[in-house]
């Protein structure tokens, strides 16, 4: 994926999120946290919470949301003030999902009081007012009523300046020399809850971008100029462009928020857009001149004065927050299916609104020309089921199709539609004979492990008219078996369980199956898909296992990996896909794995050893397995419950495990993909004890699998494994080193040649030889013992320019050879 060269938006706070990889992580693109600045002016004023909020605080009224804060280095008095501000927001913001906040107490620039922002954004959210805009994670969770990231990953990141002279009281009696902490927390929390976006300045002018150019937030879609033009209108404001930059710095920007305008006596809110762009301040604050200190709406201006205490967000900020997604109408509807004959149709919908619905403005909007020239409406009326509304429609005789969408309004006159982009997007119903077959979407069964478990699978089946019958036919090694039906679950989801005699299956049996769906049309249109998979047996337990992969074997499940001699290799090995692929979607991943079908009985001090090449995307330099920025990795895992659960036998690792691997991976990176290929020279031996992780005990019988994890956007050559030895009683070679443990550089060289040796185990009797082109030995270095790391220099000052050979032996056996050139 292409890097964004002109914009690096930096949020000061880094959090330990465990969500999946994001494209901006790899582009080094971070969303700017809005900043609250310290004004040196003294504004001795106090705007208390509304009387309603004060009464709710005193009475202990049930909160509308639950905001949970994790504090880092906060003094106790600051925590108390922070919790008071949180209590106020919990009376304003309504969400069924807890909102997690990471709050850090750190040293910032002297004029910065704090900064804050969402940790993540989501788009194409079911039920969102605008499907293709990004919503902060806390808003997305509110709209969907489900946890997206979980408590281990905060929704909001906040940082407050420990160098500021703070007033931590909650009474608003802030001295002239101090800054009111409650006010700043209220201000910053508003940013974290969505009062922010992607607008920014770049060398090409104004821009908005996140994963791609044109990505914008639910706040950004509200921003207009003084003529009512939306800044997201690319016909007027190309992205990026000088026109956009001029708008950003026009001092004439507004938030087209219906709720805020309604609560502000019909006056549209004015935004802060100074004539010189200000990172962290421009656009995502209210205009200071319009809402000066003492104004009820002054909390969200860009700076706070000394002595100034504002303990109420004000009607404008609350209204804008409503229109960012905190107050919506959620419309749920199962689209009408096509029909073959004219008949009355019933539209059912569930409508839930945060504000009171305008029941006179709930419609099905109809058209027969895709809303090009005309439309009609049907009033949705309440049924006897709570929140359910319906309307009946009888198509006109001779009509062959019609289109529709749903529209609803609340008492603030805000309209919400389904689909949200209607009338550009709409539902369509066709009338007449049907010849369209059902669609079947199914991820093929990769294999069936003969571990006694039932083989259950799922499938998505849909039809424009409706599904009548679904079933599966299958054969084993070409012999037909009794068919079985599929169970309807919900929506378009079906499930099935193979009814074969598991005891009669054996390793290597091939099962071919057809998923068949018949629709409810007169023609009984049929859809069918065909797949194959293989039965994989589990072999009786043994204490040891060895495999050099030089002969054919059925010891592994080879749906992802394969055993063969790869290009440039001299012997066969166990290989992952080369290159392995990565998903192109945020928060997703691929797993490539192979299972050793031989069960192993674990022994005291039992080890696993193999030679390997690992060219997978390395994480950040200080990242370790389990960190968010530890990207792709390989791992060896065990299962003692027939593959139901897998636990690590050792921590996952990547190309950073060996400096030669990492250097090779990084040597040929194009875009997000490494073109570097594995070679035999990169093999190193890897050995560890099977009980080291503490996940298993002596006597456990386990299956072992090798897994390559790939997160989005970046990938490389993959993984190769050779000479596998598990608790082997075979007398292994006395050679410890592999070619990948050795580096010889530079090449070409001048007056010296460096030899680096890295080994997990102690080695002995290493001999480094330098030969000329005629095979004459020029130099010999003897290393009686090497433990961990050793670096040697060969003085080549007196050598003539030409080609030489470096040869390295261990215990008299050749390990490494390489041609080098002297300039």
């Amino acid at each position: 994926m292409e890097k964004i060269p002109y914009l690096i938006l930096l949020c000061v706070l880094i959090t330990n999120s465990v969500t999946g990889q994001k494209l901006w992580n790899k582009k080094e693109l971070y969303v700017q946290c809005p900043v609250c600045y310290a004004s040196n002016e003294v504004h001795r004023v106090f705007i208390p919470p509304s009387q309603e909020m004060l009464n709710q605080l005193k009475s202990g009224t049930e909160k509308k949301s639950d905001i949970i804060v994790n504090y880092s280095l906060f003094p106790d008095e600051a925590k108390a003030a922070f919790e008071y501000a949180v209590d106020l927001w919990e009376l304003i913001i309504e969400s069924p999902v807890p909102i997690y906040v990471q709050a850090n107490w750190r040293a910032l620039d002297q004029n910065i009081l704090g900064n804050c922002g969402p940790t993540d954004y989501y788009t194409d959210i079911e039920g969102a007012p605008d499907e293709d805009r990004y919503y902060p994670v806390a808003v997305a969770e509110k709209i969907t009523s489900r946890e997206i990231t979980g408590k281990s990953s905060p929704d909001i990141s906040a940082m407050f300046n420990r160098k500021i002279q703070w007033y931590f009281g909650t009474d608003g009696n802030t001295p002239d020399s101090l800054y009111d902490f409650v006010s700043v927390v209220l201000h910053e929390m508003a940013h974290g809850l969505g009062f922010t976006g992607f607008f920014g300045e770049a060398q090409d002018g104004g821009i908005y971008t996140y994963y791609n150019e044109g990505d914008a937030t639910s706040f950004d879609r509200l921003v207009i100029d003084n003529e009512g033009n939306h800044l997201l209108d690319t016909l007027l404001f190309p992205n990026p462009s000088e026109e956009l930059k001029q708008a950003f710095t026009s001092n004439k920007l507004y938030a087209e928020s219906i709720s805020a305008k309604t609560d502000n006596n019909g006056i549209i809110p004015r935004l802060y857009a100074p004539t010189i762009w200000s990172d962290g301040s421009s656009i995502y604050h209210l205009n200071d001149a319009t809402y000066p200190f003492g104004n009820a709406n002054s909390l969200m201006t860009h700076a706070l004065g000394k002595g100034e205490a504002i303990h109420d967000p004000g009607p404008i900020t609350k209204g804008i927050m409503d229109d960012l997604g905190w107050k919506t109408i959620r419309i749920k509807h199962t689209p009408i299916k096509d029909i073959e004959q004219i008949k009355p149709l019933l539209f059912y919908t569930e409508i839930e609104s945060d504000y009171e619905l305008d029941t006179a403005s709930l419609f099905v909007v109809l058209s027969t020309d895709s809303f090009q020239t005309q439309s009609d409406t049907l009033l949705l009326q309440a049924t006897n089921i709570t929140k359910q509304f319906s309307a009946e429609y009888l198509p006109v005789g001779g009509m062959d199709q019609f289109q529709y969408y749903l529209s609803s309004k609340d008492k603030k006159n805000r309209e919400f539609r389904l689909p949200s982009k209607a009338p550009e997007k709409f539902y369509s119903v066709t009338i007449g004979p049907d010849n369209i077959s059902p669609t079947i979407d199914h991820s093929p069964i990769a294999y069936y492990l003969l571990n006694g478990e039932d083989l259950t699978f799922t499938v998505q089946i849909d039809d424009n008219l409706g599904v009548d019958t679904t079933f599966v036919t299958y054969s084993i090694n070409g012999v037909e078996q009794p068919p079985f039906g599929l169970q309807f679950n919900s929506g378009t989801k079906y499930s099935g369980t193979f009814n074969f005699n598991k005891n009669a299956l054996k390793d290597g049996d091939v099962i071919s199956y057809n998923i068949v769906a018949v629709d409810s049309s007169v023609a009984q249109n049929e859809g069918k898909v065909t797949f194959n998979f293989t039965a994989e047996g589990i072999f009786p337990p043994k204490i040891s296992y060895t495999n050099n992969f030089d002969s054919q074997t059925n010891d592994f499940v080879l749906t992802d990996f394969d055993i063969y001699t790869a290009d440039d290799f001299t012997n066969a090995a166990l290989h992952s896909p080369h290159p392995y692929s990565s998903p192109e979607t945020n928060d997703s991943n691929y797993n490539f794995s192979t299972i050793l079908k031989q069960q192993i009985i674990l022994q005291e001090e039992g080890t696993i050893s193999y030679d390997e090449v690992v060219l997978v995307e390395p994480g950040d330099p200080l990242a370790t397995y389990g960190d968010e920025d530890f990207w792709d990795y390989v791992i060896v895992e065990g299962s003692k419950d027939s593959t139901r659960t897998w636990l690590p036998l050792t921590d996952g690792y990547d190309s950073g495990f060996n400096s030669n691997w990492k250097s090779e991976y990084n040597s040929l990176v194009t875009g997000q993909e490494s073109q570097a290929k594995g070679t035999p020279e990169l093999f190193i031996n890897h050995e560890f004890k099977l009980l080291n992780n503490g996940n298993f005990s002596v006597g456990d019988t386990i299956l072992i699998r090798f897994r390559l994890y790939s997160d989005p956007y970046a990938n490389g050559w993959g993984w190769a494994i050779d000479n596998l030895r598990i608790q082997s009683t075979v007398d292994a070679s006395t050679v410890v080193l592999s070619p990948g443990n050795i580096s010889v550089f530079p090449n070409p060289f001048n007056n010296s040649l460096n030899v680096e040796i890295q080994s997990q185990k102690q080695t002995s009797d290493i001999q480094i030889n330098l030969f000329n082109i005629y095979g004459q030995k020029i130099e010999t270095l003897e290393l009686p013992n090497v433990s961990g790391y050793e670096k040697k220099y060969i003085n080549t000052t007196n050598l003539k320019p030409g080609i030489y050979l470096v040869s390295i032996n261990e215990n008299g056996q050749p390990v490494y050879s390489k041609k080098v050139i002297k300039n």
Side-chain angles (χ1 to χ4, degrees), residues 448 473-482 498-502 504-506 508-513 532-535:
Y448 175 47
T473 63
Y474 72 103
S475 64
I476 301 176
N477 297 328
V479 179
E480 292 295 328
Q481 306 294 316
F498 277 89
N499 55 6
F500 43 52
N501 181 355
K502 295 187 289 290
L505 286 176
K506 61 183 183 300
D509 283 347
V510 176
I511 295 92
S512 177
Y513 66 105
N532 296 287
F533 62 92
T534 302

Side-chain angles (χ1 to χ4, degrees), residues 636-653:
V636 185
E637 298 166 313
S639 174
K640 59 182 179 181
D641 57 9
S642 296
T643 75
R644 284 187 292 274
T645 57
W646 292 95
L647 298 172
L649 289 165
T650 187
D651 285 350
Y653 52 100

Side-chain angles (χ1 to χ4, degrees), residues 26 90 148 185 386 431 435 568 572 592 637 761 785:
K26 298 187 178 181
E90 288 175 330
I148 294 177
V185 175
T386 303
I431 305 169
N435 60 3
D568 300 323
F592 305 96
E637 298 166 313
K761 297 188 294 185
N785 288 290

Side-chain angles (χ1 to χ4, degrees), residues 564-573 575 578 613 615 664 668 675-683 717 720 722 739:
Y564 63 97
T565 302
D567 292 344
D568 300 323
F569 283 70
T570 56
N571 298 305
H575 290 273
H578 299 319
V613 178
L615 295 182
E664 188 67 23
L668 288 171
Q675 306 294 326
K677 294 182 179 181
T679 63
E681 291 74 27
L682 291 170
F683 268 119
W717 180 79
D722 201 1

